[in-house]
Amino acid sequence: MRPSFLARPALAVFLLAGSLGLAHANDLERSISITGEASVGAKPDVAYVSIGVENAGKVANEVLAANSKTTGDVLAALKGAGIDAKDLQTSGFTVQPQILRPQNSSLSSSDESPSITGYTVANTVNVTLHDLPKLGEVLDKAVTAGANSIDGVQFDVSNPSALLDDARKAALADARRKAQIYADAAGLKLGKLVELSENAGPVVGAVYRAKMATAAVPIESGSNTLNVTVSVRFELDE
């Protein structure tokens, strides 16, 4: 089934030095500048998710060792779920001290100086998943292996070119339709296209966010929307 296009109202109509939207160059050239828009729905086929492991404790080396082991278990679980190594990328690793500050900062006694009470170690991995029906299972396996942070599940279309090409045609047709309305209203004929530029719009899609996942995580990928906006200029004839 071909995607349906949603043509929206013009964002702007640019008038080029003419009281009726007509540009005059030595009273010989008339033109109209206008925008056209189109949107197309697209079924996502890839998901991106950040999975993290965070540990805290009093001894830095012990916390680091615990975090490294758990992170290793999570990576093994992800690979066991069918995630290719090229689709796993460490995106963040931090070791931070937990600092206790005195409540009365005006005291200068050494006993009241800030002190380190422990350490927090966090390791985050970005995962690319191409088999969307397995997303819930993958998240469940990651949490079972020790992941305690899941954030920013985002769905995308891996190859939007063909869909965008259809939207481009529809956006140009939208611009031509609106230009024709103005030309008719001005008692002129729409002439040839003399300028054309594209501003690709954002991809709008569902984003799932959670700090913890549970067994049988329900995930819906929904539908993304690809937007295209074009700016055009047509000549106007008598």
Side-chain angles (χ1 to χ4, degrees), residues 105-158:
S105 59
S106 64
L107 298 178
S108 59
S109 170
S110 59
D111 293 337
E112 297 295 333
S113 299
S115 60
I116 296 177
T117 60
Y119 296 86
T120 300
V121 178
N123 197 330
T124 304
V125 177
N126 285 343
V127 181
T128 301
L129 181 67
H130 300 279
D131 189 357
L132 294 191
K134 293 181 62 177
L135 180 56
E137 174 189 347
V138 168
L139 296 180
D140 180 39
K141 288 182 179 297
V143 172
T144 300
N148 53 16
S149 175
I150 295 178
D151 186 37
V153 179
Q154 185 168 357
F155 299 98
D156 200 0
V157 180
S158 59

Side-chain angles (χ1 to χ4, degrees), residues 43-210:
K43 183 67 175 177
D45 59 0
V46 63
Y48 305 101
V49 54
S50 295
I51 297 177
V53 176
E54 184 173 307
N55 297 79
K58 295 184 177 301
V59 181
N61 287 342
E62 293 178 357
V63 181
L64 178 60
N67 183 271
S68 297
K69 180 184 183 306
T70 303
T71 300
D73 293 341
V74 171
L75 290 173
L78 292 172
K79 292 176 182 177
I83 307 297
D84 196 290
K86 67 180 177 59
D87 292 325
L88 299 172
Q89 183 180 55
T90 298
S91 60
F93 177 76
T94 59
V95 179
Q96 294 183 325
Q98 299 172 347
I99 300 177
L100 178 65
R101 301 185 184 278
Q103 294 184 353
N104 190 347
S105 59
S106 64
L107 298 178
S108 59
S109 170
S110 59
D111 293 337
E112 297 295 333
S113 299
S115 60
I116 296 177
T117 60
Y119 296 86
T120 300
V121 178
N123 197 330
T124 304
V125 177
N126 285 343
V127 181
T128 301
L129 181 67
H130 300 279
D131 189 357
L132 294 191
K134 293 181 62 177
L135 180 56
E137 174 189 347
V138 168
L139 296 180
D140 180 39
K141 288 182 179 297
V143 172
T144 300
N148 53 16
S149 175
I150 295 178
D151 186 37
V153 179
Q154 185 168 357
F155 299 98
D156 200 0
V157 180
S158 59
N159 186 19
S161 297
L163 293 171
L164 283 172
D165 287 347
D166 287 340
R168 290 180 177 108
K169 295 175 185 177
L172 180 55
D174 180 52
R176 186 182 296 275
R177 176 187 63 81
K178 289 181 284 191
Q180 185 67 61
I181 292 173
Y182 284 104
D184 292 343
L188 297 170
K189 296 179 180 179
L190 191 64
K192 66 181 180 180
L193 176 67
V194 292
E195 288 184 10
L196 171 63
S197 62
E198 176 188 318
N199 298 305
V203 178
V204 181
V207 177
Y208 171 89
R209 295 184 182 276

